[in-house]
Amino acid sequence: MSIETRPRGLLAVIAIAVFGAGLGAEATAQQEAPPPVVNVLEVRDDIYMLVGQGGNITMQVGDDGILIVDTQFANMSEAIVAAIREISDEPIRYIINTHHHGDHIGGNGNLRLVGDTVIGGNMPGAVPYAEGGGAQVVSHENVLLRLSGALGGQAGDDPSLWPTNTFFNDEKQIHFNGEGVRIVHQPAAHTDGDVVVFFRQSDVIAAGDFFRTTGWPRIDLNGGGSYRGTIAALNNLVDLMIPVYGQDGGTLVIPGHGRLSGIGDVLDFREMAIVIGDRVEHMMEEGMSVEQIIAARPALDYEPVYGTPGNPEVTDQFVESVYLSLMQERD
Ligand SMILES: [Zn+2]
């Protein structure tokens, strides 16, 4: 990335560790787990990436307040609030969830109550959920249907984590802090409730988990995900991005997991997913069983980049998920 196209403040990384008393019980329960640390990256003016445990958080700040995309785990909330307060004292007005997985929605109940002075959930100074009102939690309706158990899968027993404002069509739009924000459904990709969140003016996209830089695509078949939907979502993501000609820069993507990305990262990931899917499909047409396909290692040449060193089962599970998803289409 050249100096000219480097996003402002890219190197302004702040690490904040919180040893809050409110986390004492959970810290004990987790034995020697390290204290939660949240790293903050300024992506563009007023857009930040918060990296802790679980999925990445995207944050937009301004005079209207704070909008965040995803909330990591509940035990991260206090460290997340401390990191946010280094940047803005405004209340959180909107939380957008990219999908229903616990590492993206676990802090919903806490963070939706982060107003001017109070912090929510079980933390000190919290106000009860029902009284506080708090931020709107926006998602595709399938996120709520999954969390409430209506669609099967992982039913959550904590309604304070559930979205409060859902949509069932292709897209929801919010104008906030002087910026148009598009929340665009990506059907049956990583799950059936995936959305990308496109900050139009900032030219930043929070992609959720169908795009990650830390490993293979994860297709949650029980959560309504699919191989083809993952490819379609990656195609949609590429379509939304406008690169600077001949170099890095242009639209930036905050993946569900991993590092801040440009068009090259997304294109590489999409190509990998397409090539491996084509190989698996070809082997299926040859009549090979799933065991034979896994043994043939159709992801072999991509393993150094996307595999987990010392843990070949992760690659096998990915290949199996592609097979099962393609097999589902035939039924
Ligand atoms: Zn996920």
Side-chain angles (χ1 to χ4, degrees), residues 157-174:
D157 55 4
D158 184 356
S160 76
L161 303 182
W162 297 358
T164 62
N165 182 339
T166 62
F167 66 101
F168 57 85
N169 43 357
D170 296 340
E171 175 166 345
K172 183 179 177 68
Q173 300 175 343
I174 297 172

Side-chain angles (χ1 to χ4, degrees), residues 172-224:
K172 183 179 177 68
Q173 300 175 343
I174 297 172
H175 202 272
F176 193 64
N177 287 325
E179 172 160 54
V181 182
R182 298 179 60 194
I183 306 164
V184 188
H185 185 219
Q186 307 297 320
H190 172 66
T191 71
D192 57 9
D194 289 20
V195 295
V196 299
V197 184
F198 178 25
F199 298 88
R200 295 202 316 179
Q201 207 158 317
S202 305
D203 205 12
V204 174
I205 300 171
D209 273 4
F210 71 81
F211 172 60
R212 56 178 68 214
T213 66
T214 54
W216 308 111
R218 296 232 182 112
I219 304 165
D220 180 358
L221 296 167
N222 293 325

Side-chain angles (χ1 to χ4, degrees), residues 99 101 103-104 190 209 212:
H99 62 294
H101 287 158
D103 58 332
H104 293 257
H190 172 66
D209 273 4
R212 56 178 68 214

Side-chain angles (χ1 to χ4, degrees), residues 280-297:
V280 171
E281 198 168 19
H282 178 71
M283 292 178 187
M284 290 168 71
E285 285 162 5
E286 300 280 296
M288 291 169 69
S289 68
V290 65
E291 291 81 10
Q292 289 170 325
I293 291 172
I294 289 171
R297 300 182 72 180

